[in-house]
Every structure is written in C-alpha cells, then in structure tokens.
PDB file of all heavy atoms in Angstrom:
ATOM      1  N   SER A   1       1.983  -4.701 -13.624  1.00 96.00           N
ATOM      2  CA  SER A   1       1.008  -3.689 -13.970  1.00 96.00           C
ATOM      3  C   SER A   1      -0.432  -4.157 -13.742  1.00 96.00           C
ATOM      4  O   SER A   1      -1.345  -3.333 -13.730  1.00 96.00           O
ATOM      5  CB  SER A   1       1.170  -3.281 -15.444  1.00 96.00           C
ATOM      6  OG  SER A   1       0.931  -4.390 -16.298  1.00 96.00           O
ATOM      7  N   LYS A   2      -0.640  -5.451 -13.530  1.00 97.00           N
ATOM      8  CA  LYS A   2      -1.993  -5.985 -13.343  1.00 97.00           C
ATOM      9  C   LYS A   2      -2.394  -6.052 -11.882  1.00 97.00           C
ATOM     10  O   LYS A   2      -3.561  -6.328 -11.589  1.00 97.00           O
ATOM     11  CB  LYS A   2      -2.062  -7.390 -13.967  1.00 97.00           C
ATOM     12  CG  LYS A   2      -1.712  -7.447 -15.438  1.00 97.00           C
ATOM     13  CD  LYS A   2      -1.720  -8.891 -15.953  1.00 97.00           C
ATOM     14  CE  LYS A   2      -1.259  -8.968 -17.400  1.00 97.00           C
ATOM     15  NZ  LYS A   2      -1.179 -10.382 -17.870  1.00 97.00           N
ATOM     16  N   VAL A   3      -1.457  -5.826 -10.971  1.00 98.00           N
ATOM     17  CA  VAL A   3      -1.756  -5.991  -9.538  1.00 98.00           C
ATOM     18  C   VAL A   3      -2.772  -4.944  -9.090  1.00 98.00           C
ATOM     19  O   VAL A   3      -2.575  -3.748  -9.278  1.00 98.00           O
ATOM     20  CB  VAL A   3      -0.475  -5.869  -8.675  1.00 98.00           C
ATOM     21  CG1 VAL A   3      -0.816  -5.958  -7.205  1.00 98.00           C
ATOM     22  CG2 VAL A   3       0.520  -6.950  -9.062  1.00 98.00           C
ATOM     23  N   ARG A   4      -3.865  -5.431  -8.478  1.00 98.00           N
ATOM     24  CA  ARG A   4      -4.865  -4.524  -7.912  1.00 98.00           C
ATOM     25  C   ARG A   4      -5.158  -4.830  -6.443  1.00 98.00           C
ATOM     26  O   ARG A   4      -5.817  -4.048  -5.764  1.00 98.00           O
ATOM     27  CB  ARG A   4      -6.164  -4.601  -8.728  1.00 98.00           C
ATOM     28  CG  ARG A   4      -6.046  -3.945 -10.087  1.00 98.00           C
ATOM     29  CD  ARG A   4      -5.735  -2.459  -9.982  1.00 98.00           C
ATOM     30  NE  ARG A   4      -5.537  -1.796 -11.271  1.00 98.00           N
ATOM     31  CZ  ARG A   4      -4.373  -1.672 -11.905  1.00 98.00           C
ATOM     32  NH1 ARG A   4      -3.279  -2.187 -11.346  1.00 98.00           N
ATOM     33  NH2 ARG A   4      -4.288  -1.074 -13.061  1.00 98.00           N
ATOM     34  N   HIS A   5      -4.692  -5.999  -5.971  1.00 98.00           N
ATOM     35  CA  HIS A   5      -4.822  -6.324  -4.560  1.00 98.00           C
ATOM     36  C   HIS A   5      -3.591  -7.140  -4.137  1.00 98.00           C
ATOM     37  O   HIS A   5      -3.152  -8.024  -4.885  1.00 98.00           O
ATOM     38  CB  HIS A   5      -6.041  -7.234  -4.300  1.00 98.00           C
ATOM     39  CG  HIS A   5      -7.349  -6.660  -4.757  1.00 98.00           C
ATOM     40  ND1 HIS A   5      -7.987  -5.637  -4.080  1.00 98.00           N
ATOM     41  CD2 HIS A   5      -8.129  -6.959  -5.823  1.00 98.00           C
ATOM     42  CE1 HIS A   5      -9.108  -5.340  -4.717  1.00 98.00           C
ATOM     43  NE2 HIS A   5      -9.211  -6.121  -5.781  1.00 98.00           N
ATOM     44  N   ILE A   6      -3.002  -6.781  -2.989  1.00 98.00           N
ATOM     45  CA  ILE A   6      -2.043  -7.688  -2.368  1.00 98.00           C
ATOM     46  C   ILE A   6      -2.484  -7.922  -0.934  1.00 98.00           C
ATOM     47  O   ILE A   6      -3.062  -7.032  -0.284  1.00 98.00           O
ATOM     48  CB  ILE A   6      -0.592  -7.136  -2.400  1.00 98.00           C
ATOM     49  CG1 ILE A   6      -0.476  -5.810  -1.655  1.00 98.00           C
ATOM     50  CG2 ILE A   6      -0.087  -7.002  -3.822  1.00 98.00           C
ATOM     51  CD1 ILE A   6       0.968  -5.335  -1.469  1.00 98.00           C
ATOM     52  N   THR A   7      -2.266  -9.114  -0.450  1.00 98.00           N
ATOM     53  CA  THR A   7      -2.678  -9.452   0.899  1.00 98.00           C
ATOM     54  C   THR A   7      -1.828 -10.601   1.421  1.00 98.00           C
ATOM     55  O   THR A   7      -0.892 -11.040   0.762  1.00 98.00           O
ATOM     56  CB  THR A   7      -4.180  -9.774   0.954  1.00 98.00           C
ATOM     57  OG1 THR A   7      -4.614  -9.863   2.335  1.00 98.00           O
ATOM     58  CG2 THR A   7      -4.508 -11.081   0.269  1.00 98.00           C
ATOM     59  N   THR A   8      -2.137 -11.038   2.633  1.00 98.00           N
ATOM     60  CA  THR A   8      -1.465 -12.171   3.246  1.00 98.00           C
ATOM     61  C   THR A   8      -2.351 -13.399   3.136  1.00 98.00           C
ATOM     62  O   THR A   8      -3.519 -13.301   2.741  1.00 98.00           O
ATOM     63  CB  THR A   8      -1.177 -11.889   4.728  1.00 98.00           C
ATOM     64  OG1 THR A   8      -2.430 -11.734   5.412  1.00 98.00           O
ATOM     65  CG2 THR A   8      -0.343 -10.629   4.904  1.00 98.00           C
ATOM     66  N   LEU A   9      -1.815 -14.551   3.536  1.00 98.00           N
ATOM     67  CA  LEU A   9      -2.611 -15.774   3.482  1.00 98.00           C
ATOM     68  C   LEU A   9      -3.840 -15.653   4.390  1.00 98.00           C
ATOM     69  O   LEU A   9      -4.959 -15.990   3.986  1.00 98.00           O
ATOM     70  CB  LEU A   9      -1.754 -16.963   3.888  1.00 98.00           C
ATOM     71  CG  LEU A   9      -2.441 -18.336   3.837  1.00 98.00           C
ATOM     72  CD1 LEU A   9      -3.011 -18.629   2.468  1.00 98.00           C
ATOM     73  CD2 LEU A   9      -1.478 -19.438   4.283  1.00 98.00           C
ATOM     74  N   ALA A  10      -3.647 -15.175   5.620  1.00 98.00           N
ATOM     75  CA  ALA A  10      -4.792 -15.003   6.516  1.00 98.00           C
ATOM     76  C   ALA A  10      -5.787 -13.997   5.950  1.00 98.00           C
ATOM     77  O   ALA A  10      -7.002 -14.205   6.027  1.00 98.00           O
ATOM     78  CB  ALA A  10      -4.310 -14.562   7.901  1.00 98.00           C
ATOM     79  N   GLY A  11      -5.270 -12.912   5.371  1.00 98.00           N
ATOM     80  CA  GLY A  11      -6.139 -11.895   4.802  1.00 98.00           C
ATOM     81  C   GLY A  11      -6.963 -12.444   3.642  1.00 98.00           C
ATOM     82  O   GLY A  11      -8.144 -12.103   3.488  1.00 98.00           O
ATOM     83  N   TYR A  12      -6.346 -13.323   2.835  1.00 98.00           N
ATOM     84  CA  TYR A  12      -7.064 -13.872   1.693  1.00 98.00           C
ATOM     85  C   TYR A  12      -8.177 -14.838   2.155  1.00 98.00           C
ATOM     86  O   TYR A  12      -9.297 -14.782   1.658  1.00 98.00           O
ATOM     87  CB  TYR A  12      -6.103 -14.594   0.773  1.00 98.00           C
ATOM     88  CG  TYR A  12      -6.766 -15.184  -0.453  1.00 98.00           C
ATOM     89  CD1 TYR A  12      -7.501 -14.387  -1.323  1.00 98.00           C
ATOM     90  CD2 TYR A  12      -6.666 -16.538  -0.739  1.00 98.00           C
ATOM     91  CE1 TYR A  12      -8.122 -14.908  -2.466  1.00 98.00           C
ATOM     92  CE2 TYR A  12      -7.262 -17.097  -1.838  1.00 98.00           C
ATOM     93  CZ  TYR A  12      -8.001 -16.280  -2.708  1.00 98.00           C
ATOM     94  OH  TYR A  12      -8.596 -16.822  -3.815  1.00 98.00           O
ATOM     95  N   VAL A  13      -7.853 -15.706   3.109  1.00 98.00           N
ATOM     96  CA  VAL A  13      -8.864 -16.643   3.604  1.00 98.00           C
ATOM     97  C   VAL A  13     -10.006 -15.858   4.278  1.00 98.00           C
ATOM     98  O   VAL A  13     -11.193 -16.175   4.085  1.00 98.00           O
ATOM     99  CB  VAL A  13      -8.263 -17.658   4.573  1.00 98.00           C
ATOM    100  CG1 VAL A  13      -9.332 -18.535   5.196  1.00 98.00           C
ATOM    101  CG2 VAL A  13      -7.208 -18.531   3.868  1.00 98.00           C
ATOM    102  N   HIS A  14      -9.664 -14.828   5.041  1.00 98.00           N
ATOM    103  CA  HIS A  14     -10.704 -13.988   5.660  1.00 98.00           C
ATOM    104  C   HIS A  14     -11.586 -13.368   4.583  1.00 98.00           C
ATOM    105  O   HIS A  14     -12.822 -13.338   4.722  1.00 98.00           O
ATOM    106  CB  HIS A  14     -10.014 -12.880   6.466  1.00 98.00           C
ATOM    107  CG  HIS A  14     -10.978 -11.950   7.149  1.00 98.00           C
ATOM    108  ND1 HIS A  14     -11.402 -12.139   8.460  1.00 98.00           N
ATOM    109  CD2 HIS A  14     -11.619 -10.824   6.714  1.00 98.00           C
ATOM    110  CE1 HIS A  14     -12.259 -11.173   8.784  1.00 98.00           C
ATOM    111  NE2 HIS A  14     -12.382 -10.364   7.744  1.00 98.00           N
ATOM    112  N   PHE A  15     -10.991 -12.905   3.503  1.00 98.00           N
ATOM    113  CA  PHE A  15     -11.766 -12.306   2.408  1.00 98.00           C
ATOM    114  C   PHE A  15     -12.676 -13.347   1.764  1.00 98.00           C
ATOM    115  O   PHE A  15     -13.862 -13.045   1.473  1.00 98.00           O
ATOM    116  CB  PHE A  15     -10.815 -11.722   1.355  1.00 98.00           C
ATOM    117  CG  PHE A  15     -11.499 -11.288   0.094  1.00 98.00           C
ATOM    118  CD1 PHE A  15     -12.246 -10.124   0.055  1.00 98.00           C
ATOM    119  CD2 PHE A  15     -11.401 -12.047  -1.066  1.00 98.00           C
ATOM    120  CE1 PHE A  15     -12.900  -9.728  -1.109  1.00 98.00           C
ATOM    121  CE2 PHE A  15     -12.038 -11.652  -2.234  1.00 98.00           C
ATOM    122  CZ  PHE A  15     -12.789 -10.505  -2.252  1.00 98.00           C
ATOM    123  N   LEU A  16     -12.186 -14.553   1.550  1.00 98.00           N
ATOM    124  CA  LEU A  16     -13.020 -15.587   0.937  1.00 98.00           C
ATOM    125  C   LEU A  16     -14.230 -15.931   1.806  1.00 98.00           C
ATOM    126  O   LEU A  16     -15.311 -16.188   1.297  1.00 98.00           O
ATOM    127  CB  LEU A  16     -12.200 -16.859   0.701  1.00 98.00           C
ATOM    128  CG  LEU A  16     -11.125 -16.798  -0.394  1.00 98.00           C
ATOM    129  CD1 LEU A  16     -10.367 -18.122  -0.468  1.00 98.00           C
ATOM    130  CD2 LEU A  16     -11.749 -16.462  -1.747  1.00 98.00           C
ATOM    131  N   LEU A  17     -14.016 -15.913   3.131  1.00 98.00           N
ATOM    132  CA  LEU A  17     -15.094 -16.306   4.046  1.00 98.00           C
ATOM    133  C   LEU A  17     -16.082 -15.175   4.305  1.00 98.00           C
ATOM    134  O   LEU A  17     -17.276 -15.430   4.545  1.00 98.00           O
ATOM    135  CB  LEU A  17     -14.505 -16.792   5.370  1.00 98.00           C
ATOM    136  CG  LEU A  17     -13.668 -18.060   5.290  1.00 98.00           C
ATOM    137  CD1 LEU A  17     -13.083 -18.401   6.670  1.00 98.00           C
ATOM    138  CD2 LEU A  17     -14.473 -19.231   4.758  1.00 98.00           C
ATOM    139  N   THR A  18     -15.619 -13.925   4.271  1.00 98.00           N
ATOM    140  CA  THR A  18     -16.469 -12.801   4.680  1.00 98.00           C
ATOM    141  C   THR A  18     -16.769 -11.796   3.589  1.00 98.00           C
ATOM    142  O   THR A  18     -17.681 -10.968   3.716  1.00 98.00           O
ATOM    143  CB  THR A  18     -15.834 -12.041   5.845  1.00 98.00           C
ATOM    144  OG1 THR A  18     -14.634 -11.404   5.391  1.00 98.00           O
ATOM    145  CG2 THR A  18     -15.498 -12.986   7.000  1.00 98.00           C
ATOM    146  N   GLY A  19     -15.935 -11.785   2.540  1.00 98.00           N
ATOM    147  CA  GLY A  19     -16.049 -10.757   1.521  1.00 98.00           C
ATOM    148  C   GLY A  19     -15.459  -9.433   1.932  1.00 98.00           C
ATOM    149  O   GLY A  19     -15.572  -8.432   1.195  1.00 98.00           O
ATOM    150  N   VAL A  20     -14.805  -9.373   3.109  1.00 98.00           N
ATOM    151  CA  VAL A  20     -14.226  -8.145   3.625  1.00 98.00           C
ATOM    152  C   VAL A  20     -12.704  -8.183   3.418  1.00 98.00           C
ATOM    153  O   VAL A  20     -12.022  -9.085   3.893  1.00 98.00           O
ATOM    154  CB  VAL A  20     -14.541  -7.980   5.142  1.00 98.00           C
ATOM    155  CG1 VAL A  20     -13.826  -6.748   5.707  1.00 98.00           C
ATOM    156  CG2 VAL A  20     -16.028  -7.855   5.345  1.00 98.00           C
ATOM    157  N   ASN A  21     -12.205  -7.189   2.690  1.00 98.00           N
ATOM    158  CA  ASN A  21     -10.762  -7.089   2.421  1.00 98.00           C
ATOM    159  C   ASN A  21     -10.129  -6.213   3.490  1.00 98.00           C
ATOM    160  O   ASN A  21      -9.836  -5.028   3.263  1.00 98.00           O
ATOM    161  CB  ASN A  21     -10.544  -6.515   1.017  1.00 98.00           C
ATOM    162  CG  ASN A  21      -9.065  -6.448   0.656  1.00 98.00           C
ATOM    163  OD1 ASN A  21      -8.244  -7.171   1.200  1.00 98.00           O
ATOM    164  ND2 ASN A  21      -8.719  -5.553  -0.260  1.00 98.00           N
ATOM    165  N   ALA A  22      -9.907  -6.792   4.663  1.00 98.00           N
ATOM    166  CA  ALA A  22      -9.350  -6.061   5.792  1.00 98.00           C
ATOM    167  C   ALA A  22      -8.551  -7.022   6.648  1.00 98.00           C
ATOM    168  O   ALA A  22      -8.823  -8.227   6.690  1.00 98.00           O
ATOM    169  CB  ALA A  22     -10.456  -5.407   6.632  1.00 98.00           C
ATOM    170  N   ILE A  23      -7.524  -6.494   7.333  1.00 98.00           N
ATOM    171  CA  ILE A  23      -6.689  -7.307   8.214  1.00 98.00           C
ATOM    172  C   ILE A  23      -6.409  -6.538   9.507  1.00 98.00           C
ATOM    173  O   ILE A  23      -6.538  -5.315   9.545  1.00 98.00           O
ATOM    174  CB  ILE A  23      -5.362  -7.708   7.548  1.00 98.00           C
ATOM    175  CG1 ILE A  23      -4.545  -6.481   7.147  1.00 98.00           C
ATOM    176  CG2 ILE A  23      -5.600  -8.605   6.355  1.00 98.00           C
ATOM    177  CD1 ILE A  23      -3.189  -6.816   6.531  1.00 98.00           C
ATOM    178  N   GLY A  24      -6.029  -7.255  10.549  1.00 98.00           N
ATOM    179  CA  GLY A  24      -5.658  -6.630  11.808  1.00 98.00           C
ATOM    180  C   GLY A  24      -4.368  -5.855  11.678  1.00 98.00           C
ATOM    181  O   GLY A  24      -3.526  -6.136  10.826  1.00 98.00           O
ATOM    182  N   ILE A  25      -4.171  -4.879  12.568  1.00 98.00           N
ATOM    183  CA  ILE A  25      -3.019  -3.984  12.435  1.00 98.00           C
ATOM    184  C   ILE A  25      -1.682  -4.710  12.658  1.00 98.00           C
ATOM    185  O   ILE A  25      -0.677  -4.353  12.051  1.00 98.00           O
ATOM    186  CB  ILE A  25      -3.149  -2.791  13.407  1.00 98.00           C
ATOM    187  CG1 ILE A  25      -2.080  -1.722  13.083  1.00 98.00           C
ATOM    188  CG2 ILE A  25      -3.076  -3.217  14.876  1.00 98.00           C
ATOM    189  CD1 ILE A  25      -2.312  -0.410  13.800  1.00 98.00           C
ATOM    190  N   GLY A  26      -1.694  -5.743  13.466  1.00 96.00           N
ATOM    191  CA  GLY A  26      -0.449  -6.504  13.633  1.00 96.00           C
ATOM    192  C   GLY A  26      -0.061  -7.179  12.339  1.00 96.00           C
ATOM    193  O   GLY A  26       1.113  -7.152  11.932  1.00 96.00           O
ATOM    194  N   GLU A  27      -1.026  -7.769  11.646  1.00 97.00           N
ATOM    195  CA  GLU A  27      -0.782  -8.401  10.357  1.00 97.00           C
ATOM    196  C   GLU A  27      -0.415  -7.332   9.320  1.00 97.00           C
ATOM    197  O   GLU A  27       0.492  -7.532   8.499  1.00 97.00           O
ATOM    198  CB  GLU A  27      -2.029  -9.169   9.920  1.00 97.00           C
ATOM    199  CG  GLU A  27      -1.938  -9.832   8.574  1.00 97.00           C
ATOM    200  CD  GLU A  27      -1.230 -11.171   8.575  1.00 97.00           C
ATOM    201  OE1 GLU A  27      -0.329 -11.381   9.425  1.00 97.00           O
ATOM    202  OE2 GLU A  27      -1.551 -12.021   7.760  1.00 97.00           O
ATOM    203  N   ALA A  28      -1.114  -6.213   9.347  1.00 98.00           N
ATOM    204  CA  ALA A  28      -0.848  -5.130   8.386  1.00 98.00           C
ATOM    205  C   ALA A  28       0.573  -4.606   8.528  1.00 98.00           C
ATOM    206  O   ALA A  28       1.210  -4.255   7.540  1.00 98.00           O
ATOM    207  CB  ALA A  28      -1.845  -3.997   8.587  1.00 98.00           C
ATOM    208  N   SER A  29       1.081  -4.569   9.766  1.00 96.00           N
ATOM    209  CA  SER A  29       2.403  -3.995  10.000  1.00 96.00           C
ATOM    210  C   SER A  29       3.528  -4.870   9.425  1.00 96.00           C
ATOM    211  O   SER A  29       4.668  -4.431   9.356  1.00 96.00           O
ATOM    212  CB  SER A  29       2.638  -3.794  11.495  1.00 96.00           C
ATOM    213  OG  SER A  29       2.709  -5.044  12.176  1.00 96.00           O
ATOM    214  N   GLY A  30       3.201  -6.071   8.992  1.00 95.00           N
ATOM    215  CA  GLY A  30       4.164  -6.927   8.281  1.00 95.00           C
ATOM    216  C   GLY A  30       3.994  -6.844   6.771  1.00 95.00           C
ATOM    217  O   GLY A  30       4.731  -7.520   6.040  1.00 95.00           O
ATOM    218  N   MET A  31       3.073  -6.041   6.333  1.00 98.00           N
ATOM    219  CA  MET A  31       2.908  -5.792   4.896  1.00 98.00           C
ATOM    220  C   MET A  31       3.541  -4.451   4.505  1.00 98.00           C
ATOM    221  O   MET A  31       4.301  -4.356   3.547  1.00 98.00           O
ATOM    222  CB  MET A  31       1.424  -5.756   4.521  1.00 98.00           C
ATOM    223  CG  MET A  31       0.713  -7.080   4.642  1.00 98.00           C
ATOM    224  SD  MET A  31      -0.936  -7.021   3.866  1.00 98.00           S
ATOM    225  CE  MET A  31      -0.477  -7.013   2.116  1.00 98.00           C
ATOM    226  N   PHE A  32       3.213  -3.398   5.288  1.00 98.00           N
ATOM    227  CA  PHE A  32       3.661  -2.032   5.005  1.00 98.00           C
ATOM    228  C   PHE A  32       3.735  -1.342   6.372  1.00 98.00           C
ATOM    229  O   PHE A  32       2.914  -1.597   7.239  1.00 98.00           O
ATOM    230  CB  PHE A  32       2.701  -1.331   4.063  1.00 98.00           C
ATOM    231  CG  PHE A  32       3.203  -0.037   3.506  1.00 98.00           C
ATOM    232  CD1 PHE A  32       3.808  -0.002   2.257  1.00 98.00           C
ATOM    233  CD2 PHE A  32       3.075   1.161   4.209  1.00 98.00           C
ATOM    234  CE1 PHE A  32       4.296   1.185   1.715  1.00 98.00           C
ATOM    235  CE2 PHE A  32       3.564   2.364   3.685  1.00 98.00           C
ATOM    236  CZ  PHE A  32       4.160   2.363   2.443  1.00 98.00           C
ATOM    237  N   PRO A  33       4.674  -0.423   6.605  1.00 97.00           N
ATOM    238  CA  PRO A  33       4.775   0.241   7.898  1.00 97.00           C
ATOM    239  C   PRO A  33       3.460   0.933   8.277  1.00 97.00           C
ATOM    240  O   PRO A  33       2.789   1.512   7.428  1.00 97.00           O
ATOM    241  CB  PRO A  33       5.882   1.276   7.683  1.00 97.00           C
ATOM    242  CG  PRO A  33       6.737   0.699   6.600  1.00 97.00           C
ATOM    243  CD  PRO A  33       5.768  -0.002   5.680  1.00 97.00           C
ATOM    244  N   VAL A  34       3.125   0.840   9.566  1.00 96.00           N
ATOM    245  CA  VAL A  34       1.893   1.446  10.061  1.00 96.00           C
ATOM    246  C   VAL A  34       2.220   2.595  10.994  1.00 96.00           C
ATOM    247  O   VAL A  34       3.310   2.701  11.552  1.00 96.00           O
ATOM    248  CB  VAL A  34       1.004   0.422  10.794  1.00 96.00           C
ATOM    249  CG1 VAL A  34       0.547  -0.669   9.837  1.00 96.00           C
ATOM    250  CG2 VAL A  34       1.717  -0.184  11.993  1.00 96.00           C
ATOM    251  N   ASP A  35       1.254   3.488  11.161  1.00 95.00           N
ATOM    252  CA  ASP A  35       1.361   4.632  12.062  1.00 95.00           C
ATOM    253  C   ASP A  35       0.599   4.274  13.328  1.00 95.00           C
ATOM    254  O   ASP A  35      -0.612   4.060  13.298  1.00 95.00           O
ATOM    255  CB  ASP A  35       0.752   5.879  11.369  1.00 95.00           C
ATOM    256  CG  ASP A  35       0.905   7.136  12.190  1.00 95.00           C
ATOM    257  OD1 ASP A  35       0.854   7.052  13.435  1.00 95.00           O
ATOM    258  OD2 ASP A  35       1.072   8.216  11.589  1.00 95.00           O
ATOM    259  N   GLN A  36       1.337   4.212  14.464  1.00 88.00           N
ATOM    260  CA  GLN A  36       0.679   3.794  15.708  1.00 88.00           C
ATOM    261  C   GLN A  36      -0.330   4.826  16.227  1.00 88.00           C
ATOM    262  O   GLN A  36      -1.169   4.505  17.055  1.00 88.00           O
ATOM    263  CB  GLN A  36       1.728   3.515  16.793  1.00 88.00           C
ATOM    264  CG  GLN A  36       2.246   2.097  16.820  1.00 88.00           C
ATOM    265  CD  GLN A  36       3.337   1.854  15.782  1.00 88.00           C
ATOM    266  OE1 GLN A  36       4.097   2.745  15.477  1.00 88.00           O
ATOM    267  NE2 GLN A  36       3.419   0.656  15.248  1.00 88.00           N
ATOM    268  N   ASP A  37      -0.254   6.059  15.718  1.00 91.00           N
ATOM    269  CA  ASP A  37      -1.211   7.093  16.172  1.00 91.00           C
ATOM    270  C   ASP A  37      -2.513   7.022  15.374  1.00 91.00           C
ATOM    271  O   ASP A  37      -3.600   7.161  15.943  1.00 91.00           O
ATOM    272  CB  ASP A  37      -0.584   8.473  16.024  1.00 91.00           C
ATOM    273  CG  ASP A  37       0.572   8.700  16.961  1.00 91.00           C
ATOM    274  OD1 ASP A  37       0.541   8.162  18.086  1.00 91.00           O
ATOM    275  OD2 ASP A  37       1.540   9.375  16.574  1.00 91.00           O
ATOM    276  N   THR A  38      -2.411   6.819  14.056  1.00 95.00           N
ATOM    277  CA  THR A  38      -3.617   6.797  13.230  1.00 95.00           C
ATOM    278  C   THR A  38      -4.163   5.397  13.035  1.00 95.00           C
ATOM    279  O   THR A  38      -5.271   5.227  12.546  1.00 95.00           O
ATOM    280  CB  THR A  38      -3.316   7.382  11.832  1.00 95.00           C
ATOM    281  OG1 THR A  38      -2.354   6.538  11.168  1.00 95.00           O
ATOM    282  CG2 THR A  38      -2.741   8.791  11.963  1.00 95.00           C
TER     283      THR A  38
END
C-alpha cells in the first residue's frame, strides 16, 4: 500500500543523476506492456 514509484535499476540511477523519472521504451516494455502506436 506504500508503493508510489516502481522502476528498474537503470531507471533509478538515471533518476538520481537527472531528477527525471523516465525510461526508454525498450526498458519500459520489460516493466509493463507498451503500445507500439502510442
């Protein structure tokens, strides 16, 4: 019930270095299914 962010190891290091909570679509597609059109 406390979870407010989930990410990958690369996503977390990227966030620590840039403050941006974002990942590439290839990495995202291993977290949750992605839509290739949107």
Side-chain angles (χ1 to χ4, degrees):
S1 63
K2 302 176 185 177
V3 176
R4 289 298 177 269
H5 304 285
I6 61 171
T7 190
T8 63
L9 182 57
Y12 181 57
V13 175
H14 180 94
F15 171 75
L16 290 178
L17 295 177
T18 67
V20 175
N21 182 24
I23 59 178
I25 191 169
E27 178 82 330
S29 67
M31 293 192 72
F32 192 95
V34 297
D35 185 324
Q36 271 82 32
D37 294 326
T38 64

